[in-house]
Amino acid sequence: MFYDYPVLNALWSFSLAEESELFRKEREPGKECPEEGRLKEELLKEGKTDPARKKLLSRLRKDPEAYEQFLDLPPRLQGEFLSFCTGQKGVKITYDPFFKFVFNPELHPERLERLLSELLKERVKIRQLLPPESIRFHEGMSLVVMDILVELASGALCDVEIQKAPYAFPGQRAACYSSELVVRQYSRARRRTAAEKTPFSYRQLSRVYTIVILEKSSGEFCRYSDHYVHRASQVFDTGLSLNLLQEYIFISLDIFHNIVHEIKEELDAWLMFLSSDEPADIARIIAAFPEFAEYYRDIAGFREKPEELISMFSRILAEMDRDEYFCMMEDLKEDNRKLSEQARGLEDRNQNLEDENQNLENRLNSLMEQRDRMAVRYYQETGNAEEIAGLLGMSKEELQAVLGTGEEG
């Protein structure tokens, strides 16, 4: 059957290693890769080549553009590409091109409807796919772009967002996406009522759902390692019931994969479908829900056209670079925030020390003034400078300065 995958090799075949970026450096005079010898030794120890991979590489060489794209991929993506094309593994559905291919609402609305029905816990029907229009919340802010945005038969808008990198503050970003949906729905309703010359009412607005599928969970989600689906809506602490429109669902695929080992419900199958490219998991999904065989059959069709597939992997690499950039920027912002807080803390502490030092100086000056007044008074009464200096802990010179005399007492 099409989901019967050959056993994976422990290491890539030597033919792959020869063509990887690692071994391309060997052909450049005077350049040597420090890892080259170790990897080559391991591959030679394997003592085998994979005929299927060798045949695939031979085919790619006949298309210079596709072959160059393959060589530009990092080793991990090269391995995923070859493993998928030779039937050794599935493909990661969370990669944007494959996710949108499988769940394309225009070609296969029933697939996304089934997934959304499981997540929303009610039967849903997709009315239409909406274009990825965007707004700017303020000048200079990057555009908010939706992954897959659909309008349901109920009028509700639903955004499905795949998040591969654990960016900082996903809640705030999800709130921006949700707000964009509310504004979009409001604008559409106003335009429609204006065209129909009917009065506008806020009651015409429907719910908006923001669904964020996390391939890797950030620290906040990791603290709830026994839960992989988080649902939220806005409620009042008094029990007051108002429709505030916005609802959120966060799904942590890595936490799901750590918890769930048996496919008992359809939602389990969907999340396993999204989280694993292992042949054993694919077989388990199809055994529990045979209708998933169609989805895998469609994906397997890419094996027949590796030249087209390599372009998809190139787009995946661009997305990974973008994600890495944004992740790096978020990390830098967070580091900058922490350093700023530390700097403010040091400034506050320094200011407190300066204030405390000033208070001590003021108090000391006050005590010195009090001592000087006492010295003058006692001298006027006794005329014994030596006794006064000893009593008040003053030197002879200090007392003379206070008394304003040159007497030695």
Side-chain angles (χ1 to χ4, degrees):
M1 298 177 67
F2 73 91
Y3 58 82
D4 290 334
Y5 294 85
V7 177
L8 289 171
N9 292 326
L11 295 166
W12 289 1
S13 66
F14 187 72
S15 59
L16 166 61
E18 283 183 321
E19 306 304 336
S20 69
E21 183 65 25
L22 191 65
F23 284 89
R24 289 175 73 185
K25 295 181 179 180
E26 184 184 31
R27 295 192 290 269
E28 300 178 24
K31 291 190 177 180
E32 213 172 273
C33 178
E35 294 294 318
E36 178 182 334
R38 181 191 60 78
L39 181 55
K40 188 179 286 189
E41 183 180 345
E42 289 179 353
L43 292 168
L44 285 170
K45 184 184 286 187
E46 183 69 13
K48 297 179 181 179
T49 58
D50 186 325
R53 292 189 177 197
K54 202 168 184 180
K55 182 179 179 181
L56 176 60
L57 288 171
S58 228
R59 174 173 173 176
L60 286 177
R61 288 191 193 96
K62 295 176 182 178
D63 186 327
E65 183 178 351
Y67 189 56
E68 187 65 27
Q69 286 179 320
F70 171 78
L71 294 177
D72 287 338
L73 295 177
R76 181 170 68 83
L77 281 183
Q78 286 183 351
E80 290 182 15
F81 173 81
L82 292 174
S83 293
F84 171 67
C85 287
T86 56
Q88 295 174 332
K89 266 195 174 184
V91 73
K92 292 183 178 178
I93 308 299
T94 50
Y95 286 145
D96 188 69
F98 297 109
F99 184 84
K100 290 181 176 176
F101 172 77
V102 172
F103 292 102
N104 188 331
E106 294 180 326
L107 298 178
H108 306 287
E110 72 286 351
R111 297 177 182 177
L112 189 57
E113 287 172 353
R114 289 185 61 175
L115 174 59
L116 293 179
S117 295
E118 291 297 319
L119 291 173
L120 302 180
K121 295 184 175 180
E122 61 179 87
R123 299 299 300 173
V124 301
K125 187 75 176 174
I126 293 176
R127 179 180 294 165
Q128 62 175 327
L129 171 69
L130 296 180
E133 298 172 0
S134 302
I135 62 171
R136 290 184 185 271
F137 290 101
H138 61 75
E139 188 63 30
M141 181 178 180
S142 60
L143 290 174
V144 175
V145 180
M146 305 301 178
D147 269 5
I148 291 184
L149 178 61
V150 293
E151 181 183 13
L152 304 181
S154 63
L157 299 185
C158 184
D159 164 42
V160 182
E161 168 85 5
I162 295 288
Q163 184 175 324
K164 296 185 70 64
Y167 295 127
F169 311 117
Q172 286 86 334
R173 288 177 43 241
C176 289
Y177 296 162
S178 180
S179 299
E180 200 274 349
L181 293 183
V182 174
V183 172
R184 178 183 294 203
Q185 189 174 187
Y186 168 81
S187 300
R188 293 172 70 223
R190 296 287 296 192
R191 288 196 299 268
R192 184 174 61 250
T193 54
E196 297 173 352
K197 297 182 179 180
T198 56
F200 168 79
S201 169
Y202 282 98
R203 295 184 182 277
Q204 297 170 359
L205 303 182
S206 300
R207 291 185 182 276
V208 297
Y209 298 96
T210 302
I211 299 175
V212 182
I213 301 174
L214 305 165
E215 185 174 29
K216 296 179 182 178
S217 302
S218 59
E220 187 64 29
F221 291 94
C222 291
R223 283 194 278 273
Y224 296 86
S225 57
D226 53 346
H227 296 281
Y228 52 87
V229 178
H230 306 268
R231 294 181 173 87
S233 60
Q234 296 166 310
V235 296
F236 292 93
D237 58 356
T238 59
L240 175 67
S241 178
L242 290 179
N243 182 6
L244 297 180
L245 300 179
Q246 295 168 288
E247 296 195 15
Y248 305 86
I249 301 177
F250 282 82
I251 303 104
S252 297
L253 293 180
D254 53 346
I255 294 177
F256 160 80
H257 211 64
N258 290 334
I259 294 176
V260 177
H261 304 291
E262 295 183 19
I263 300 174
K264 297 179 179 179
E265 301 177 356
E266 185 172 345
L267 182 58
D268 297 336
W270 281 115
L271 299 187
M272 186 70 75
F273 177 74
L274 292 171
S275 64
S276 179
D277 59 356
E278 293 295 334
D281 290 330
I282 294 172
R284 289 164 58 206
I285 292 170
I286 295 175
F289 292 90
E291 55 269 35
F292 277 77
E294 176 190 345
Y295 315 153
Y296 285 112
R297 188 179 295 111
D298 286 352
I299 296 169
F302 283 108
R303 292 175 182 158
E304 304 303 319
K305 37 191 174 182
E307 295 82 4
E308 179 180 333
L309 182 64
I310 199 68
S311 297
M312 296 175 72
F313 269 78
S314 294
R315 294 204 303 273
I316 289 167
L317 176 60
E319 290 163 8
M320 289 171 62
D321 289 342
R322 178 203 64 189
D323 288 344
E324 184 178 355
Y325 169 78
F326 280 118
C327 196
M328 180 182 67
M329 292 302 296
E330 291 292 345
D331 288 342
L332 288 174
K333 289 178 185 177
E334 180 64 10
D335 290 343
N336 184 61
R337 183 188 67 80
K338 289 179 180 178
L339 289 173
S340 297
E341 288 181 353
Q342 290 176 4
R344 283 196 298 270
L346 290 173
E347 288 177 1
D348 292 342
R349 184 180 177 185
N350 184 58
Q351 185 62 50
N352 289 337
L353 290 173
E354 289 181 359
D355 292 344
E356 186 177 348
N357 184 59
Q358 186 61 50
N359 290 335
L360 290 173
E361 287 184 4
N362 293 339
R363 185 178 176 187
L364 178 61
N365 291 334
S366 177
L367 289 173
M368 295 294 287
E369 290 174 0
Q370 187 178 358
R371 183 200 66 172
D372 293 347
R373 287 195 299 270
M374 290 177 64
V376 171
R377 195 180 79 181
Y378 287 158
Y379 183 76
Q380 289 173 348
E381 292 178 356
T382 66
N384 190 337
E386 185 175 349
E387 181 181 351
I388 293 171
L391 181 64
L392 296 179
M394 301 172 67
S395 68
K396 187 176 180 180
E397 291 74 14
E398 286 178 319
L399 181 59
Q400 288 175 356
V402 169
L403 298 177
T405 69
E407 300 178 3
E408 298 182 1

